[in-house]
Amino acid sequence: MFPTPVVRVERLLSSELIASITSEIQNSQKHTNAFSDRLSHTPVTSVDANEIYAQLGEIVMPSVVQFGEVLFGETLRWQIKEIWMNVLEPGGRQSIHTHANSFISGVLYLTQPHPSANLVFHKSLGGTNFIFSNHHQGARINAYNGSKWMMPEITPGDLVMFPSYLLHEVPTNQGEQRISIAFNAIPERLDNFGYAIRFA
């Protein structure tokens, strides 16, 4: 009951575009992550900031609209609220977090991540679990009693999307440099039996 949707769109970006973006990010201004000095990000900005972001916004939008229909049961108009690039060096990690003030979050992969640094999703903390659990070496973990789920193998050019409230992290990278682009999206409006809220 009540599954959480996570979508993977394979090879959405061409190898030529990946090469162009990868070259751009190597020369971009970056800030070190607050929790890992082996992770850096470009400033968070809009898709109007440059041609590459604008192009990426156009490429991902049809997938965002389709995923939004899964989440809200209606074809809505969406916009990319913010976008940024991430560079995860060997030994770096991204701590567990959610993306506030948005509804759809996405990650575009520019490099092949090492399996150790695949995206990991976590169940929400509290509210839906028993006070006591039964996690030990002899217990069989399944879709109903597991507390986290790791993305399977990802290839460069893939897009992964998920609801922005979903807890996620990137464990310690035991492989080569991992480069990705993250974005958050919001719909034009949501309507609950005539009580509508609009986002700008």
Side-chain angles (χ1 to χ4, degrees):
M1 291 189 300
F2 313 123
T4 303
V6 174
V7 170
R8 175 187 175 195
V9 182
E10 296 184 49
R11 301 185 188 280
L12 188 63
L13 304 183
S14 68
S15 55
E16 293 79 15
L17 183 56
I18 290 172
S20 174
I21 299 171
T22 303
S23 174
E24 174 81 16
I25 194 174
Q26 300 296 1
N27 300 317
S28 298
Q29 175 190 9
K30 292 183 275 297
H31 306 288
T32 302
N33 183 269
F35 301 102
S36 174
D37 61 2
R38 305 295 294 160
L39 171 63
S40 59
H41 318 276
T42 60
V44 175
T45 188
S46 72
V47 290
D48 300 326
N50 59 50
E51 290 183 16
I52 288 178
Y53 284 156
Q55 186 177 2
L56 289 173
E58 291 179 9
I59 292 171
V60 304
M61 190 51 65
S63 298
V64 169
V65 171
Q66 287 180 348
F67 190 51
E69 187 171 357
V70 171
L71 292 176
F72 295 110
E74 183 182 359
T75 301
L76 299 167
R77 291 181 59 187
W78 287 79
Q79 64 175 307
I80 305 299
K81 174 177 173 275
E82 52 207 359
I83 188 168
W84 67 98
M85 299 185 193
N86 307 291
V87 179
L88 184 66
E89 302 293 347
R93 60 184 296 272
Q94 173 63 284
S95 60
I96 189 167
H97 64 287
T98 62
H99 291 198
N101 306 315
S102 59
F103 293 90
I104 292 176
S105 294
V107 181
L108 285 158
Y109 290 83
L110 303 184
T111 58
Q112 179 80 49
H114 187 271
S116 64
N118 279 350
L119 198 58
V120 175
F121 296 103
H122 292 261
K123 273 188 178 178
S124 178
L125 301 175
T128 60
N129 297 323
F130 296 110
I131 300 300
F132 287 91
S133 63
N134 191 52
H135 289 177
H136 55 85
Q137 290 181 339
R140 292 182 301 280
I141 304 301
N142 58 48
Y144 303 103
N145 65 20
S147 61
K148 60 185 177 180
W149 182 78
M150 177 178 275
M151 281 296 301
E153 182 178 349
I154 295 294
T155 56
D158 286 1
L159 166 64
V160 174
M161 289 184 296
F162 50 93
S164 298
Y165 63 77
L166 192 57
L167 286 164
H168 58 285
E169 67 170 330
V170 179
T172 302
N173 181 15
Q174 300 173 23
E176 300 297 318
Q177 187 183 68
R178 175 191 188 273
I179 303 177
S180 63
I181 299 170
F183 66 85
N184 292 318
I186 56 175
E188 181 181 48
R189 57 94 183 144
L190 293 174
D191 188 330
N192 190 39
F193 292 100
Y195 183 81
I197 184 168
R198 296 189 178 275
F199 302 95

